[in-house]
Amino acid sequence: MSTGARRRGVRLPNPDSPGNGGDEGLSPRSLTPDPTHDSTAAEDDPRSVSHPFPTSGRPEPEYLHNVACVAITAIAFALRFYKINHPDQVVFDEVHFGKFAAYYILREYYFDVHPPLAKLLLGLAGWFVGFDGRFEFEAIGDSYTQHHIPYVGMRAMPAVFGSLTVPIVYQIMKECGFPVVICTFSAALIAFDNAHIAQTRLILLDAALIMFMALSLWAYIRFRKVRYHEFSRVWWGWMCATGFFLACTLGCKMVGLFTFLTIGTAVLVDMWDVLDIRKRYPMDLVLRHFFARALGLIVLPFVVYSTFFWIHFKVLSHSGTGDHFMSPRFQESLAGNELLMKSHEIRYFDTVTIKHKDTKVYLHSHKERYPLKYKDGRISSQGQQVTGYPHEDLNNQWQIIPTKAIPETGRGRVVRHDDAVQLLHISTQSYLLTHDVASPTMPTNQEVTTISKEEARSRYNETLFTIDIIGGSAGQPWKSKASHIRLIHVPTKVAVWTHPKALPEWAFKQQEINGNKNAEDRTTTWYVDEIVIPAEDEDLFNREGKPEEKVVKSLNFFSKFAELQLLSLQHNAGLTASHPYASGPINWPFLLNGISFWTQNETRRQIYLIGNIVGWWTCVVALSVFTGIIGADLLARRRGVQPIPDFVRNRLWNSTGFFFIAWALHYFPFFLMSRQLFIHHYLPAHLCSVLVTGSIFNFIAGESINFPISSPGPGMRRMPTTYSDVGQKAIIAAGIYMIPYLAMFLFMAPLTYGTPGLDGDQVNRRLLLSTWTLHYAGKATSA
């Protein structure tokens, strides 16, 4: 605490939050009592110790931690780099993320629902090892060696991240005051886990995500350890490091929001403690704490996170596969984009084709009519069918008819934002119309049809549609390709809309077109794909006067950033299609489902993503035990019994409780999602459950802990020092546990590494649960 704070009479509590040992430049020793405070001061601190301290246990030499950490790190690297060149084929989602890395090298814009950091790093790795970006990663099983792709170098970066996660787990446990055996045990649960190994040795995003998530937890624990040195350089350093790693976590995948929520929950508890009047913090100091945390844990992460996107946009400066997802303004900021090369103003009496932005079908009509009666008994108008058709066809052509007097030549013939027009179907010479008749598949939406020129005379208003250019302004010209529009029916205000569901055979299984009453729905977006016949056979390229020089237009960063964020969230929520290896969150902790990553029929080899069942089920037990311990302790204390000494209980709540909250916040939000989910989404939560497991092992194995666990500040009272007493019994218990754990790892290794191939009986033996879907299993034979 600052000297000024001490002069105002602010009393500091005892050090008792996550962490152990000293920090750089800070002494870990207990300090002499503050003579300004009497002996009853601890009674005012709700976290003070009321039980005598055990004296068992001895301090562990620092070199033991160093040796153990280096050893488990070396093992992690060996396990993740073992046969990393196998298979020499595209595996599972390398189809996507390898392709995205290639786009960075080619500088071609793409769209993906995930933030860019991990993909930027993969692209950097590819560039560093000489990948030219020309390989397209089209399908699982495509050969790398035949195309001379330096895939090992690209896989090496995720493997390094996955390997470094293991010592980070070790350091998290060490900083929380756990002894060498507990730290090593926790790190080993990650090092030898089959799922973590398989997921972090391929060209995928999860290795970076999990590493940065672990770094966020580690940095926050370090920050909490120096909380008594508030506003010092080291205090600011660890808080800003936490914010930076949080931004990196979110920059890899949106799952990083759960890490933000975890740290945010801990910060709220911390600020609630600072606000406690018994701490005697003046309000100006409380506000300083609040704004400091807002700066380090909100503003700084936002700046860092935004920087990833700034780099993303700077690198992807050329037109690519992701253009059509973006707005016309965004597309026009990309070099070589089709909008720059082929966009033209639309004039009255132009004949055009109109395309739906999302489903890419043309607005289409043909002479066939809707059936009089649908299967559900509803009656149609028997009007001419209007459908969505995915291929070029003469029946896709519509002429833009004015509804006002226009000049014979000049700019007055340009169709503009908010103009009301008629759409004349060329092949059948009928006008587009929607009316208050239910559509074929959606009774709540209006039928879209066409009517003849003769009938249109009496139903003129029903054929009027407003050209609503999305984001347009008054007088803005309507352009082919460059203008995204809504066709708003003038009398009823519904928007012309389509959806992927096909109509029955009577409509040749083409898409339904109907009138959507939610006109602002983003899926009501259309654009003119081509001006097929310019009005009066004008020269399309010269009728606008002197041809405009096609230059890349500028769009400010924040407009691009906001558009991409919104689009990513919308598409992420829309990933609801079924997948044979998708699974629900309830299955994940118990390993009821895995994912087939890769197969090779000739050699009967396969990669199947599944965790080490011994470790995963142990974590489930540990989570249950923690919940039971906390519940029993609360019940006992309600009856005046204190079964757990305060200093041990504080460790259980502050360290293990923090890990438990991290697990819960990285797991339970998935139950609220309707998108596709896979078991690899549980890996961040599994790491948190490993931290809980190590903590519970320490609680069961010993009756004492390393205490105090935070770096003391100036003027703090001396606290008795204790050391963990887990000793030999914990080492023996961990060693015994590791026998089946390592055996299970080796038993499942052929499915993790994809080699060697297994015959039917060997595959059957590895079908530990009937819900697993392994390939090449032998047929069961009756006795």
Side-chain angles (χ1 to χ4, degrees):
M1 176 172 292
S2 64
T3 304
R6 292 198 303 274
R7 283 199 299 268
R8 289 191 292 269
V10 179
R11 175 161 31 84
L12 292 167
N14 301 322
D16 61 342
S17 70
N20 177 48
D23 295 87
E24 294 84 347
L26 299 175
S27 170
R29 297 173 300 165
S30 299
L31 303 180
T32 54
D34 183 346
T36 62
H37 297 156
D38 60 33
S39 60
T40 64
E43 296 174 2
D44 293 332
D45 187 350
R47 300 173 300 169
S48 61
V49 176
S50 59
H51 282 259
F53 290 88
T55 58
S56 59
R58 292 181 299 174
E60 293 179 315
E62 184 67 18
Y63 78 86
L64 288 180
H65 273 295
N66 295 337
V67 170
C69 187
V70 169
I72 197 66
T73 302
I75 292 172
F77 270 90
L79 294 176
R80 282 150 184 80
F81 277 87
Y82 174 71
K83 293 191 175 182
I84 197 171
N85 63 325
H86 178 78
D88 64 343
Q89 297 176 359
V90 177
V91 176
F92 194 57
D93 277 349
E94 288 185 337
V95 164
H96 304 297
F97 302 120
K99 188 179 301 181
F100 297 153
Y103 289 147
Y104 282 115
I105 296 170
L106 298 174
R107 305 197 66 180
E108 294 178 356
Y109 188 79
Y110 72 89
F111 173 76
D112 181 47
V113 297
H114 301 300
L117 176 59
K119 294 171 291 184
L120 278 166
L121 293 173
L122 291 174
L124 179 64
W127 171 82
F128 184 78
V129 297
F131 178 42
D132 63 6
R134 300 298 174 184
F135 184 68
E136 296 184 355
F137 297 87
E138 288 187 346
I140 296 173
D142 285 355
S143 174
Y144 288 129
T145 53
Q146 290 179 8
H147 295 86
H148 309 289
I149 307 302
Y151 68 101
V152 172
M154 297 179 70
R155 286 177 178 174
M157 178 172 282
V160 168
F161 291 160
S163 303
L164 291 178
T165 301
V166 172
I168 295 170
V169 169
Y170 186 100
Q171 291 298 319
I172 288 174
M173 300 303 288
K174 176 177 179 288
E175 295 300 331
C176 287
F178 294 105
V180 171
V181 61
I182 302 299
C183 298
T184 307
F185 173 80
S186 302
L189 290 182
I190 298 295
F192 292 97
D193 182 72
N194 300 77
H196 280 272
I197 293 172
Q199 190 72 17
T200 60
R201 51 187 265 115
L202 300 170
I203 306 173
L204 304 174
L205 309 184
D206 298 86
L209 168 72
I210 296 168
M211 183 190 72
F212 285 123
M213 185 210 74
L215 282 171
S216 300
L217 301 181
W218 173 70
Y220 182 73
I221 290 168
R222 295 298 300 265
F223 167 66
R224 281 289 294 163
K225 284 179 57 178
V226 296
R227 68 191 182 282
Y228 301 118
H229 296 261
E230 50 201 353
F231 308 113
S232 66
R233 185 174 300 176
V234 70
W235 186 89
W236 277 106
W238 284 115
M239 181 172 65
C240 291
T242 304
F244 176 79
F245 292 134
L246 283 172
C248 291
T249 308
L250 184 58
C252 294
K253 277 189 172 184
M254 295 308 292
V255 172
L257 287 172
F258 303 153
T259 312
F260 260 98
L261 190 57
T262 299
I263 301 299
T265 301
V267 169
L268 287 177
V269 173
D270 179 29
M271 285 304 303
W272 185 255
D273 187 57
V274 169
L275 194 61
D276 190 346
I277 194 172
R278 290 175 294 180
K279 298 297 190 306
R280 302 179 187 175
Y281 285 105
M283 279 306 299
D284 64 329
L285 190 59
V286 172
L287 290 175
R288 282 186 65 194
H289 274 281
F290 173 80
F291 287 115
R293 286 163 174 77
L295 178 64
L297 301 176
I298 298 177
V299 176
L300 175 63
F302 175 77
V303 171
V304 174
Y305 180 72
S306 301
T307 301
F308 300 146
F309 283 89
W310 183 84
I311 298 170
H312 175 76
F313 295 140
K314 282 294 182 182
V315 174
L316 303 179
S317 58
H318 290 70
S319 175
T321 59
D323 292 10
H324 67 276
F325 289 96
M326 313 310 295
S327 69
R329 287 198 311 152
F330 193 112
Q331 293 183 50
E332 288 177 327
S333 69
L334 301 171
N337 186 266
E338 188 179 30
L339 269 62
L340 291 171
M341 311 307 294
K342 299 181 180 179
S343 176
H344 300 283
E345 290 180 349
I346 298 169
R347 301 195 174 194
Y348 287 109
F349 297 107
D350 282 349
T351 298
V352 301
T353 57
I354 302 174
K355 210 169 190 179
H356 188 244
K357 178 178 180 290
D358 287 348
T359 62
K360 298 296 180 288
V361 296
Y362 292 97
L363 184 64
H364 175 94
S365 185
H366 41 239
K367 64 181 181 180
E368 282 74 18
R369 296 184 171 272
Y370 294 114
L372 174 62
K373 194 173 185 179
Y374 300 125
K375 283 187 176 181
D376 59 3
R378 292 183 296 111
I379 303 298
S380 80
S381 68
Q382 281 195 294
Q384 182 173 304
Q385 294 176 17
V386 176
T387 60
Y389 187 62
H391 308 293
E392 293 185 4
D393 189 84
L394 291 175
N395 285 327
N396 300 337
Q397 297 179 8
W398 303 81
Q399 190 175 44
I400 313 299
I401 307 299
T403 60
K404 60 184 180 181
I406 59 172
E408 292 186 4
T409 60
R411 302 282 297 165
R413 297 174 68 87
V414 175
V415 186
R416 301 182 183 275
H417 176 60
D418 276 345
D419 278 4
V421 303
Q422 289 179 302
L423 293 177
L424 176 66
H425 188 244
I426 296 297
S427 296
T428 61
Q429 289 295 294
S430 57
Y431 288 103
L432 188 71
L433 171 144
T434 182
H435 50 181
D436 193 17
V437 175
S439 71
T441 66
M442 305 180 71
T444 58
N445 287 17
Q446 292 185 181
E447 177 189 85
V448 175
T449 183
T450 67
I451 57 174
S452 66
K453 289 183 177 181
E454 293 75 18
E455 191 176 358
R457 293 191 182 99
S458 61
R459 302 178 65 182
Y460 176 78
N461 286 341
E462 294 179 79
T463 65
L464 302 183
F465 291 86
T466 299
I467 304 301
D468 179 23
I469 300 176
I470 297 174
S473 56
Q476 179 176 328
W478 181 18
K479 291 186 175 184
S480 62
K481 298 187 182 295
S483 299
H484 288 173
I485 64 164
R486 299 184 185 94
L487 291 171
I488 306 296
H489 191 231
V490 172
T492 63
K493 305 304 180 186
V494 301
V496 177
W497 178 68
T498 187
H499 57 93
K501 184 177 180 180
L503 289 166
E505 290 289 350
W506 52 257
F508 313 104
K509 293 191 176 295
Q510 296 172 12
Q511 279 185 204
E512 179 188 27
I513 303 289
N514 63 39
N516 190 337
K517 295 178 181 178
N518 181 14
E520 297 298 317
D521 192 307
R522 69 176 184 86
T523 61
T524 59
T525 305
W526 301 78
Y527 64 92
V528 169
D529 184 59
E530 184 181 4
I531 301 176
V532 181
I533 306 174
E536 301 178 355
D537 294 324
E538 296 173 308
D539 184 345
L540 186 61
F541 290 91
N542 293 317
R543 71 180 183 180
E544 299 171 19
K546 184 179 179 180
E548 181 183 355
E549 184 180 357
K550 300 298 184 179
V551 296
V552 177
K553 299 181 180 180
S554 62
L555 182 64
N556 70 74
F557 164 75
F558 289 104
S559 296
K560 286 185 173 182
F561 177 77
E563 180 177 337
L564 185 55
Q565 296 301 304
L566 180 61
L567 202 60
S568 298
L569 291 173
Q570 290 172 342
H571 279 264
N572 199 17
L575 296 176
T576 56
S578 60
H579 191 283
Y581 294 104
S583 57
I586 192 66
N587 301 323
W588 299 341
F590 306 100
L591 281 179
L592 298 185
N593 301 95
I595 306 173
S596 177
F597 270 14
W598 172 83
T599 59
Q600 189 176 61
N601 295 331
E602 297 82 4
T603 60
R604 304 177 70 86
R605 295 176 177 179
Q606 61 180 308
I607 295 177
Y608 189 75
L609 180 71
I610 202 71
N612 188 317
I613 196 168
V614 174
W616 285 53
W617 285 12
T618 300
C619 291
V620 172
V621 172
L623 292 166
S624 303
V625 169
F626 173 75
T627 305
I629 291 172
I630 293 301
D633 179 67
L634 290 173
L635 288 173
R637 287 180 178 252
R638 291 296 290 174
R639 300 303 301 166
V641 179
Q642 298 186 11
I644 306 174
D646 282 354
F647 66 99
V648 176
R649 184 173 185 261
N650 287 341
R651 176 68 54 81
L652 200 63
W653 278 89
N654 294 332
S655 291
T656 317
F658 177 62
F659 301 149
F660 185 85
I661 291 296
W663 168 78
L665 292 178
H666 283 84
Y667 176 49
F668 287 113
F670 285 108
F671 284 91
L672 305 177
M673 298 183 186
S674 58
R675 59 151 291 173
Q676 276 182 2
L677 296 172
F678 301 89
I679 190 172
H680 61 72
H681 288 117
Y682 185 70
L683 292 179
H686 174 257
L687 184 143
C688 298
S689 71
V690 164
L691 300 176
V692 173
T693 302
S695 303
I696 291 299
F697 182 24
N698 183 84
F699 178 82
I700 294 172
E703 297 180 355
S704 184
I705 60 173
N706 292 324
F707 184 90
I709 52 179
S710 292
S711 179
M716 294 188 66
R717 295 176 290 108
R718 178 185 297 276
M719 296 299 297
T721 300
T722 67
Y723 300 100
S724 175
D725 63 343
V726 295
Q728 294 295 321
K729 56 186 177 182
I731 297 176
I732 295 171
I736 294 173
Y737 175 86
M738 280 295 157
I739 293 173
Y741 187 71
L742 295 178
M744 182 58 66
F745 162 72
L746 294 173
F747 184 64
M748 301 301 293
L751 302 178
T752 303
Y753 295 103
T755 185
L758 304 173
D759 61 32
D761 290 337
Q762 290 173 321
V763 172
N764 287 344
R765 287 197 292 272
R766 284 163 177 80
L767 274 170
L768 303 180
L769 299 178
S770 61
T771 52
W772 294 3
T773 51
L774 301 181
H775 293 269
Y776 315 125
K779 294 182 179 179
T781 57
S782 57

